């Protein structure tokens, strides 16, 4: 693979790249013209880069077709598209890295089979093995008998990668895929379709034939109504400054902490507060915590059942899909590993769990007084760990797009085409949590991202798998018909049975969300 192209003001993904100063305006030139512009340098952006650059996906082809692909020289004949990735961070996975660091998360919730390499579901496992990192894999006690994809379970694909392993893998993957990394924040995308102008804050403009928006969260922080009037000195969202404010936990005046939320992030914040020496830590949720390995049920992992679930999901009218996705995620859940930790801390008297309504009764100079189930408690700090509220038009890029090319918004999510396009723009795609209505309950996690990235790049018709298919009718295109029909076909090649679903952290936790912005 060639190295990433160097353009003025752009940085490559090399691990030793020095920090880049903030972006400065630069004129558009041929150097700034791309086949594909990916907006967002998280796992979704990386999955898109991988799907765009790889000549084909081994996972999406049967065993015979992989042989045909090699035999036809598919991989070597293809000219890779020219791709740029735009992100405000100084390198790939900046947002992910900061979040995981702030919460001191050691293990991913999702398994080894979930990662952004579009070529091969086994890539992360192979990376761990080839770099002698078996100690970076954790058997979290998933009952493999419950998974009909037992072959995968036994091969380690259901074990959890450490975050260090996962981040190293992503950096390694990015370094192998030619692209240009542009540091900046996209302010607007303008047409015409197929000849987009991507405007960055600061005035710089890029040109691209296709654009993929991999922006991450589907809207602003969710804020329980009862917290709206709490001043920012006593309250922050767990994702505020990408978790930066979590540093306040345990500091001299922040010893008594209330964490609100019913998903994994809330548990991680509560555990962090204990670890940082807070003398009183309460974890309050409206409903009891639900224990579950992954944030979608095990049925979503089974190849056939998962495909059936997907199929049923797409049979629902759009209006019902947001609720169906939420139901499939169980409204936020906590893996057994973390539940055991919570129970231990409770037994030691270092953490109290409360189920019920929280009412803020008064805000004092140095504390907030709240009532939980009728009992008054004082806290120095409240951490809102209720995830993000789907409200895509709060994101400036989408608000601007909606102005020029209005589409239906359902439950806060954009109503994209089945190929994840925005309205009549055939070359403008949205992936990630924002694409929940078209991708399914796992849209915001690593498995859903990979699927979406593949869908978008397939629809661009830039990958040679499609070219190969067009020139030689012998290749079976799984995506040309019902994407999920293959799994119901008893003759289907088991090699392509890799469409496992996994968890997210409950990124979209709307348990207590209301339509009002936080005062904090
Ligand atoms: C604490 C935590 C733990 C999680 N653990 C897991 C896990 O173990 N497994 C799992 O599958 N999922 C997990 N998730 C869900 C996780 O967020 C997603 O899997 C993953 O980060 C989503 O990737 P993404 O690329 O869609 O979004 P992000 O990782 O959020 O990346 C989006 C990027 O787009 C950039 N961006 C946004 N707007 C613009 C713009 N206008 N211009 C340029 N760039 C822009 C952002 O700065 C960001 O860097 C976790 C989430 C949290 C909060």
């Amino acid at each position: 693979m060639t190295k990433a192209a160097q353009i003025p003001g752009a940085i490559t993904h090399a691990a030793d790249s020095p920090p880049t100063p903030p972006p400065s305006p630069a004129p558009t030139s041929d150097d700034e013209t791309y086949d594909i512009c990916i907006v967002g340098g998280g796992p979704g952006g990386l999955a898109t880069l991988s799907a765009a650059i790889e000549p084909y996906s081994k996972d999406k082809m049967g065993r015979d077709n992989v042989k045909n692909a090699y035999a036809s020289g598919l991989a070597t004949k293809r000219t890779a598209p020219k791709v740029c990735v735009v992100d405000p961070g100084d390198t790939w996975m900046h947002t992910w890295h900061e979040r995981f660091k702030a919460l001191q998360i050691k293990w991913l919730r999702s398994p080894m089979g979930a990662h952004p390499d579009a070529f091969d579901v086994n890539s992360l496992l192979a990376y761990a093995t080839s770099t002698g990192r078996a100690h970076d894999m954790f058997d979290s006690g998933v009952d493999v008998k419950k998974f009909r994809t037992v072959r995968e379970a036994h091969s380690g694909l259901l074990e959890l990668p450490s975050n260090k392993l996962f981040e190293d893998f992503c950096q390694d993957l990015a370094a192998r895929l030619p692209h240009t990394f542009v540091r900046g924040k996209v302010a607007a995308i303008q047409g015409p379709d197929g000849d987009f102008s991507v405007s960055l804050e600061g005035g710089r403009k890029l040109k691209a034939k296709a654009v993929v928006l991999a922006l991450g969260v589907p809207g602003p922080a969710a804020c329980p109504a009862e917290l709206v009037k709490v001043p920012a000195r006593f309250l922050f969202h767990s994702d505020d400054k990408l978790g930066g404010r979590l540093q306040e936990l345990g500091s001299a005046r922040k010893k008594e902490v209330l964490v609100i939320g019913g998903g994994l992030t809330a548990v991680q914040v509560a555990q962090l507060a204990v670890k940082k020496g807070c003398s009183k830590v309460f974890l309050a949720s409206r409903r009891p915590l639900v224990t579950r390995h992954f944030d979608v049920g095990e049925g979503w992992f089974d190849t056939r059942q998962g495909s059936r679930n997907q199929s049923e999901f797409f049979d629902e009218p759009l209006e019902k899909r947001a609720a169906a996705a939420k139901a499939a995620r169980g409204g936020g859940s906590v893996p057994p590993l973390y539940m055991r930790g919570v129970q231990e801390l409770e037994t030691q008297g270092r953490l109290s769990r409360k189920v019920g309504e929280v009412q803020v009764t008064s805000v004092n100079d140095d504390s907030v007084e709240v009532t939980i189930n009728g009992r008054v408690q004082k806290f120095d700090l409240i951490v809102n760990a209720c995830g993000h509220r789907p409200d895509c038009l709060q994101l400036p890029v989408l608000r601007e797009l909606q102005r020029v090319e209005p589409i239906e918004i359902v439950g806060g999510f954009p109503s994209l085409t089945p190929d994840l396009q925005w309205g009549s723009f055939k070359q403008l795609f949205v992936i990630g949590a924002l694409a929940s209505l078209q991708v399914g309950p796992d849209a915001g996690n690593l498995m859903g991202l990979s699927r979406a990235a593949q869908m978008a790049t397939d629809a661009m018709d830039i990958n040679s798998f499609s070219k190969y298919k067009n020139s030689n009718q012998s290749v079976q295109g799984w995506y040309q018909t019902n994407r999920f029909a293959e799994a119901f076909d008893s003759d289907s090649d088991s090699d392509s049975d890799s469409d496992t679903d996994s968890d997210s952290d409950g990124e979209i936790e709307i348990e207590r969300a209301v339509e009002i912005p936080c005062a904090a």
Side-chain angles (χ1 to χ4, degrees):
M1 296 271 183
T2 56
K3 280 184 79 178
Q6 197 70 54
I7 60 168
I11 61 166
T12 63
H13 41 66
D16 56 356
S17 295
T20 309
S24 56
T28 307
S29 68
D30 282 351
D31 283 351
E32 304 253 68
T33 301
Y34 297 90
D35 295 312
I36 306 170
C37 174
I38 299 170
V39 185
L46 187 52
T48 307
L49 177 67
S50 174
I53 298 291
E54 291 295 353
Y56 60 89
S57 166
K58 183 169 161 283
D59 301 328
K60 299 288 173 262
M61 297 168 91
R63 223 173 275 139
D64 290 345
N65 292 333
V66 170
K67 279 190 217 139
N68 289 345
Y70 275 114
S72 71
L74 187 63
T76 47
K77 277 181 200 159
R78 177 180 190 245
T79 310
K82 187 179 170 196
V83 185
C84 73
V85 179
V86 189
D87 192 283
D90 59 357
T91 185
W92 278 101
M93 302 288 290
H94 170 80
T95 300
W96 175 289
H97 176 78
E98 291 301 313
R99 283 181 178 146
F100 272 66
K101 189 173 75 176
L103 282 164
Q104 300 184 7
I105 302 174
K106 181 155 189 217
W107 303 101
L108 264 64
R109 185 179 191 180
S110 50
M112 295 288 290
H115 55 73
D117 187 341
F119 184 70
D120 185 356
V121 71
N122 293 295
S123 295
L124 179 53
L125 198 55
Y127 179 79
T129 311
S130 66
T131 53
R133 307 272 293 267
H135 58 278
D136 271 321
M137 290 167 57
F138 177 70
D139 180 355
S140 66
V142 171
D143 181 2
V144 294
K145 291 196 207 88
K146 286 194 185 165
F147 292 84
R148 283 203 274 155
T149 46
V150 178
R151 182 172 61 96
E152 294 189 346
H154 284 301
S155 69
L157 284 180
L158 288 178
E159 290 184 22
L160 309 184
S162 74
N163 185 47
K164 179 83 179 79
L165 176 71
F166 183 73
E167 288 193 10
D168 289 350
F169 170 79
C170 289
Q171 296 300 341
D172 181 71
L173 177 64
R176 285 188 281 114
L177 301 168
H179 68 282
T180 301
F181 192 105
V182 177
R183 190 175 184 184
K185 187 159 189 183
V186 170
I189 320 270
Q190 273 130 10
D193 193 22
D195 185 20
F196 293 104
S197 174
V198 179
S199 306
L200 276 53
E201 284 180 3
R204 183 171 169 186
K205 284 191 196 305
L206 310 171
K207 300 284 282 176
K209 292 179 192 156
V211 174
V212 179
L213 299 177
L215 308 176
V217 293
C223 186
E226 55 270 28
L227 298 184
V228 166
K229 289 193 181 133
V230 179
R233 68 181 191 282
F234 294 125
L235 170 72
F236 63 82
H237 188 272
S238 54
D239 206 27
D240 200 357
K241 299 186 170 55
L242 299 182
R245 282 200 67 185
L246 291 165
Q247 284 176 358
E248 293 173 28
L249 292 170
S251 63
R253 297 169 55 147
K254 309 283 180 184
K255 293 281 188 198
E256 305 199 333
V257 176
L258 171 64
V259 183
I260 297 186
L264 176 55
T265 303
V267 165
Q268 286 167 329
V269 172
Q271 288 181 327
L272 185 70
V274 173
K275 207 163 152 188
K276 289 183 149 227
C278 292
S279 52
K280 168 168 139 184
V281 181
F282 272 54
L283 173 59
S285 54
R286 192 168 265 168
R287 55 176 177 72
L289 299 183
V290 175
T291 308
R292 199 190 246 187
H293 279 283
F294 308 114
D295 86 331
V296 287
E298 284 151 4
W300 289 83
F301 284 77
D302 175 87
T303 309
R304 278 169 183 261
Q305 184 58 44
S307 299
R308 198 175 298 278
N309 290 350
Q310 297 274 1
S311 204
E312 283 168 9
F313 179 81
F314 293 118
D315 276 347
E316 295 281 3
L318 278 182
E319 297 68 35
K320 291 201 174 163
R321 286 190 199 170
K326 191 179 167 198
R329 285 195 301 268
S333 57
V334 182
L337 169 71
Y338 283 90
M339 280 305 283
R340 286 195 293 275
V342 166
Q343 282 152 2
E344 269 169 38
L345 292 176
E346 279 186 296
T347 310
Q348 294 163 5
R350 299 163 78 194
L351 172 68
S352 304
R353 221 175 345 149
K354 301 286 166 200
V355 177
E357 294 296 326
V358 172
Q359 292 300 330
V360 176
T361 38
S362 69
V363 177
N364 311 322
D365 286 348
D366 58 351
S367 63
V368 182
E369 218 172 71
V370 304
T371 309
I372 308 176
N373 293 340
R375 226 180 125 201
V376 178
Q377 302 275 348
K378 273 212 285 190
F379 294 97
D380 308 321
L381 190 63
I382 302 177
V383 183
N384 164 14
C386 293
H388 291 83
R389 174 165 61 94
D391 189 356
C392 67
L393 297 184
Q394 296 289 323
L395 305 175
V397 180
L398 297 196
R399 198 166 52 237
E400 178 58 21
L401 257 182
Q402 179 72 350
R403 198 180 59 74
V404 293
E405 174 67 10
I407 63 170
E408 196 184 352
I409 306 294
V410 179
F413 295 99
S415 171
L416 307 166
T417 71
D419 280 335
L420 312 184
Q421 292 135 327
W422 185 283
S424 66
F425 289 143
K426 297 284 170 238
Q427 295 298 326
L428 176 50
F429 304 87
V430 180
I431 67 163
L434 284 160
S436 290
L437 300 181
Q438 284 70 36
V439 174
D442 60 350
N445 73 28
L446 295 172
M447 289 308 299
L449 286 167
S450 293
R451 232 172 34 245
Q454 194 74 55
M455 286 160 74
T457 49
D458 283 346
M460 281 176 208
D461 206 19
I462 43 111
N463 77 36
S464 6
F465 179 29
S466 336
K467 282 186 201 154
Y468 181 71
K469 176 180 173 295
N470 293 339
S471 62
N472 179 341
Q473 294 303 312
S474 67
V475 176
Q476 309 273 320
W478 71 278
Y479 56 86
Q480 292 289 324
T481 53
N482 177 351
R483 290 193 170 92
F484 306 102
E486 183 187 38
F488 301 129
D489 173 4
S490 55
D491 295 331
S492 67
D493 188 324
S494 63
D495 256 7
S496 57
D497 288 353
S498 57
D499 217 9
T500 54
D501 289 307
S502 76
D503 89 307
S504 85
D505 178 51
E507 178 80 6
I508 316 164
E509 287 170 22
I510 50 177
E511 183 196 13
R512 287 160 171 266
V514 289
E515 301 283 320
I516 351 179
C518 255

